[in-house]
Amino acid sequence: TLVELGKAQTRTVDFYRKGWSFFDLEGVVATLENVNGALTVVDASELLPMVNTALRYAREDLLAAKREPPVGELEKFADVLTLLEACISAKLQGDDYLSLLPTGIDKLRELDQASHLDLLDSIDLEALESEIEAKKKAMPRLPPSLYQRLRHPPAHNPQPTSAQNHQQSTVSPVSL
């Protein structure tokens, strides 16, 4: 799936660099269809709105109309693909991918606003956000990865030794 997304990203760049090569865009559509199938098989329903929206955008908005989008709009599409790739990569590595999904939903909204179609008309984003929150709560708390421990070490609070305890408990005479 990650390889497929890499192909979709490369073909998206080629679509633009080759002067709106709709042949490359057809490859993006085919690749996203494969990703959709793979996510369906592994029951990653929370990721399907991202891939389905990207697929609709490429197939129904750009390819069907042979539309040449502004560069900024194409960048929004690329952001969705990149975020989808990050989510899938994190899921495959057993890392928390659910925390990336709110950003993904924001990117879908941006793409929807830029598109000539109503890309999100069949997606209940509130239900999706609720599903994500429920899955976050149900996730077992995993110990932090080595990277996370190195990046955010716990506060150093050394425990006093018995000699230090003894020093702290003895009262020194006070002269008046």
Side-chain angles (χ1 to χ4, degrees):
T1 305
L2 289 175
V3 172
E4 292 292 315
L5 277 171
K7 288 178 187 176
Q9 290 169 325
T10 300
R11 289 177 175 152
T12 300
V13 170
D14 290 345
F15 167 66
Y16 171 73
R17 284 196 180 151
K18 292 179 182 177
W20 310 113
S21 166
F22 288 96
F23 174 77
D24 287 303
L25 191 59
E26 288 172 3
V28 172
V29 168
T31 302
L32 289 175
E33 288 170 344
N34 291 340
V35 170
N36 177 302
L39 291 177
T40 301
V41 168
V42 297
D43 192 32
S45 61
E46 63 281 355
L47 296 175
L48 288 174
M50 287 176 65
V51 73
N52 288 337
T53 301
L55 180 57
R56 275 195 69 202
Y57 174 75
R59 182 177 43 215
E60 297 172 26
D61 189 359
L62 300 182
L63 191 58
K66 300 290 186 212
R67 189 169 76 80
E68 300 172 4
V71 174
E73 183 179 320
L74 203 56
E75 288 171 349
K76 289 174 179 34
F77 176 64
D79 288 346
V80 170
L81 295 181
T82 300
L83 205 54
L84 182 60
E85 180 182 35
C87 288
I88 293 171
S89 177
K91 184 173 174 66
L92 290 173
Q93 293 176 22
D95 292 336
D96 176 20
Y97 68 99
L98 295 172
S99 62
L100 298 171
L101 290 178
T103 304
I105 291 170
D106 290 343
K107 294 297 178 183
L108 290 179
R109 285 183 174 118
E110 289 176 21
L111 183 61
D112 180 54
Q113 289 174 353
S115 173
H116 286 189
L117 298 177
D118 185 2
L119 296 173
L120 300 176
D121 65 343
S122 64
I123 298 173
D124 184 351
L125 290 180
E126 288 180 18
L128 177 61
E129 289 169 329
S130 295
E131 177 186 354
I132 292 166
E133 284 305 312
K135 285 190 177 191
K136 280 183 188 178
K137 289 177 183 174
M139 268 180 53
R141 290 286 170 206
L142 299 175
S145 68
L146 177 59
Y147 172 76
Q148 291 167 329
R149 289 192 309 256
L150 291 174
R151 190 88 166 119
H152 305 286
H156 186 62
N157 233 352
Q159 296 296 320
T161 63
S162 61
Q164 288 171 332
N165 280 338
H166 178 69
Q167 282 179 337
Q168 290 173 355
S169 64
T170 52
V171 179
S172 23
V174 178
S175 56
L176 300 173

